[in-house]
Amino acid sequence: MKLLIMAVQFKGGSLQGVVSIIRELVKFNENEYHIVLSKEVKEQLQGIVFPDNMHLYDLPYKVGNRTVNLFLNRGYFNRLERELKPDVVLCTSGPMYWKSKAPCLMGFNLPHHIYRESPYFDSIGTAAKTRWFLRRTFHRFYFRREGTAFFVQTDDVNERLREYLDRKEVFTVPNTFSVAYRNIEEFPNKLPERKEGEVRCLTISAYYPHKNLGIIKKVVDCLEAKGRKDIRFVVTLPQNYYDQLFPASYKDRIVNMGFVPSKEGPSLYKECDIMFLPTLLECFSASYAEAMIMQKPIITSDMGFAHCVCKDAAVYFNPVDANDIADKLVTLIDDKDLQDSLVKKGVEQLKQFGTSEDRAQGVLELCDSLIK
């Protein structure tokens, strides 16, 4: 099977997802892979020795706006497809704004379009809501036009996407943690020296408004009012967003690590005690699976997507109520038995994800089914 793979992601979970799949495809040498890489994906693949059946191509236009970028590259995609004549095109995160002649398996990672009940939409103005309505309509047209079939990461998203697209060709391929969490490399400690009695809450995430990371400042205020100065938050944001979200007076309590490569994630988990995720919108967050394999208790938003992935392996809070978050966090920190119980349930819950190799194999099987 000859595949043309569009690895054009540039940040967040979709970037880590496509990197994980490419790393695993090395094991499936019966196929021929032609992979178009964004600069960001290419950087994440540094150090990998690719076999002869894997061919890499740089994305020609590297402008800042992903939509403009892809529109500019459509002529290049057409030429590449004509030259290669692939059996199937794989895009792990659509839309591409380009329609291939070969059947196309497309991933879906846009929770804004299917979780419209999220409190995120209560936090934005009328103009922003209108923009999201237009995007939802615009993207729906391109998804339906480009995708022969679609794959998602949970059954809940599967059901919602079928309704959004009015299509039945939607399949669930569970996501998981990357191979970096199975073959853990050791790196020097990144965090400042731990203070006596300090508890560290880790949030590995790129910046998006729906990640709701600004709530951490309010949570710190609530914890201060309760006399809890032993809790420190650790984030992984670009410095400009970190400075916008958190005034200087909070920077001892909210520590920024900047971008952390996937292979260094396990080391950062080892330095922390709890995985904290106040997100308002997700299709899937690998942070849940990462925390489970690293045996860290999870505290996260009381939202359907979180329950779908974590079940009873997490403590849930109202993500827009800083006082509720602070109360739930203190309860978790002060209850060692609860922490141990969550870790045990998380280890059990890991069985629903399989491995990153299983995920890659599932995607390849779907590609093969499109050809047949």
Side-chain angles (χ1 to χ4, degrees), residues 278-346:
T279 183
L280 301 176
L281 282 167
E282 300 288 340
C283 284
F284 179 91
S285 174
S287 293
Y288 296 135
E290 291 166 2
M292 290 172 187
I293 195 167
M294 295 305 296
Q295 299 191 25
K296 302 295 179 182
I298 297 168
I299 182 166
T300 190
S301 306
D302 189 4
M303 303 289 292
F305 54 77
H307 283 274
C308 184
V309 177
C310 299
K311 300 294 193 294
D312 58 353
V315 169
Y316 298 98
F317 52 67
N318 180 343
V320 296
D321 184 342
N323 197 60
D324 182 59
I325 296 173
D327 285 342
K328 299 284 178 57
L329 189 54
V330 168
T331 298
L332 175 60
I333 289 170
D334 291 347
D335 190 337
K336 187 64 168 60
D337 289 339
L338 176 58
Q339 294 178 38
D340 292 342
S341 174
L342 292 177
V343 168
K344 289 177 182 177
K345 291 174 180 176

Side-chain angles (χ1 to χ4, degrees), residues 120-140:
Y120 170 74
F121 295 105
D122 297 327
S123 69
I124 60 178
T126 302
K129 288 179 182 177
T130 301
R131 286 195 297 272
W132 274 115
F133 170 78
L134 294 174
R135 284 178 194 160
R136 192 178 298 121
T137 305
F138 177 73
H139 286 160
R140 183 179 186 272

Side-chain angles (χ1 to χ4, degrees), residues 207 214 217 237-248 251:
Y207 175 77
K217 181 166 69 74
L237 297 173
Q239 191 63 36
N240 60 323
Y241 287 118
Y242 174 69
D243 291 337
Q244 289 174 26
L245 289 173
F246 308 117
K251 291 184 177 177

Side-chain angles (χ1 to χ4, degrees), residues 38 59 74 79 81-82 126 137 147 184 192 201 231 245 252 257 259 274 292 297 355 361-362:
S38 68
L59 193 65
R74 286 191 297 179
R79 289 194 300 274
E81 185 179 27
R82 282 197 301 270
T126 302
T137 305
I184 295 176
C201 299
I231 302 170
L245 289 173
D252 180 58
M257 295 290 99
F259 174 74
I274 291 170
M292 290 172 187
T355 66
Q361 182 173 350

